[in-house]
Amino acid sequence: MQKQSREAPLTTHEAVVGDGRTRRAERTREAIIDAHMALILDGDLQPTARRVAERAGVSLRTLWGHFKDLEALFAAAGQKTLRIQYADFHPIPPDQPLADRIEQFCRQRAHMLEVIAGASRAAQIRLPYSKQLRVNRAHHNERLRAEIAELFTEEVAGDDDLLSALVVATTWPAWMGSRDDLGLSVEQAATVMHRTVTALLTAPEGSRDG
């Protein structure tokens, strides 16, 4: 009976070379994602693959070697955007008085939305044409919905319509309406959000039924 051949274990040199290649590939991938996001933040809301590659200092061939298409790049950028948005996130204790929870939540939420404003503006333009960007948006909304449900458990009390209203009031389209459409400052937009959330959570239960 013929013995099965086994691959020889990697030498130390081969392992080091392999690790080095992996790290370089990861750095290149991150550079491409960073270039994509930097162009957006600089005002290029629809950067082409060529401009992204030039900004990252790589060839188009290298870019497509890491991302099979722009949708794959959008997916990676969406994950990084979420990490940036939640970099300074601090869970709010749900046992605090309602007014304190609302104040902390709205202040933190306003900061989180403003931090990713450039990326969100760019995504809004391409949203109707990109399935991946819609997936990214849905992921953001699902995470926010879970946070609101946990922070305001007693007030929401299983009211899905109220929960949806709170999500709508604190997501990017509402923030964009205050900042871009109405031209409000960050402080003014945060005040609008605070008043809206307060009104939703303190309205008499019967008045929510329309």
Side-chain angles (χ1 to χ4, degrees), residues 45 114 116-125 172 176 179-180:
L45 300 186
E114 194 64 23
I116 61 166
S120 296
R121 289 187 178 95
Q124 195 69 32
I125 292 174
W172 171 253
M176 180 177 64
R179 295 284 284 123
D180 297 350

Side-chain angles (χ1 to χ4, degrees), residues 21-204:
R21 288 173 178 169
T22 299
R23 287 194 294 272
R24 284 196 298 274
E26 291 173 350
R27 286 197 296 268
T28 299
R29 178 183 173 85
E30 283 299 307
I32 294 170
I33 297 170
D34 289 344
H36 170 73
M37 298 185 68
L39 285 168
I40 289 172
L41 294 176
D42 286 347
D44 186 353
L45 300 186
Q46 298 190 67
T48 63
R50 184 172 298 278
R51 291 200 294 272
V52 173
E54 290 174 352
R55 182 67 173 258
V58 302
S59 66
L60 268 176
R61 181 177 179 179
T62 297
L63 185 150
W64 295 131
H66 285 274
F67 301 97
K68 64 178 182 179
D69 52 30
L70 284 177
E71 290 286 276
L73 179 55
F74 293 161
Q79 293 172 358
K80 184 151 192 175
T81 298
L82 197 60
R83 292 198 301 271
I84 292 171
Q85 184 178 31
Y86 278 84
D88 298 322
F89 173 78
H90 299 290
I92 301 166
D95 58 351
Q96 293 186 359
L98 176 60
D100 292 343
R101 280 180 283 144
I102 292 175
E103 194 280 329
Q104 293 177 62
F105 170 75
C106 290
R107 175 161 34 85
Q108 182 164 250
R109 190 67 193 158
H111 171 73
M112 293 169 71
L113 288 167
E114 194 64 23
V115 161
I116 61 166
S120 296
R121 289 187 178 95
Q124 195 69 32
I125 292 174
R126 288 186 168 181
L127 199 66
Y129 316 105
S130 170
K131 179 181 179 180
Q132 184 59 54
L133 289 178
R134 293 194 295 274
V135 169
N136 293 352
R137 180 65 60 85
H139 183 57
H140 282 242
N141 290 343
E142 288 167 7
R143 180 163 181 169
L144 175 61
R145 190 179 187 90
E147 290 169 6
I148 292 175
E150 182 177 354
L151 181 59
F152 302 109
T153 301
E154 183 177 345
E155 291 78 17
V156 171
D159 187 337
D160 286 340
D161 289 339
L162 174 57
L163 182 54
S164 294
L166 290 166
V167 171
V168 169
T170 56
T171 46
W172 171 253
W175 187 254
M176 180 177 64
S178 291
R179 295 284 284 123
D180 297 350
D181 297 344
L182 299 182
L184 302 183
S185 67
V186 173
E187 183 178 354
Q188 290 171 326
T191 298
V192 169
M193 180 192 294
H194 186 278
R195 291 192 65 169
T196 303
V197 172
T198 300
L200 288 169
L201 289 171
T202 61

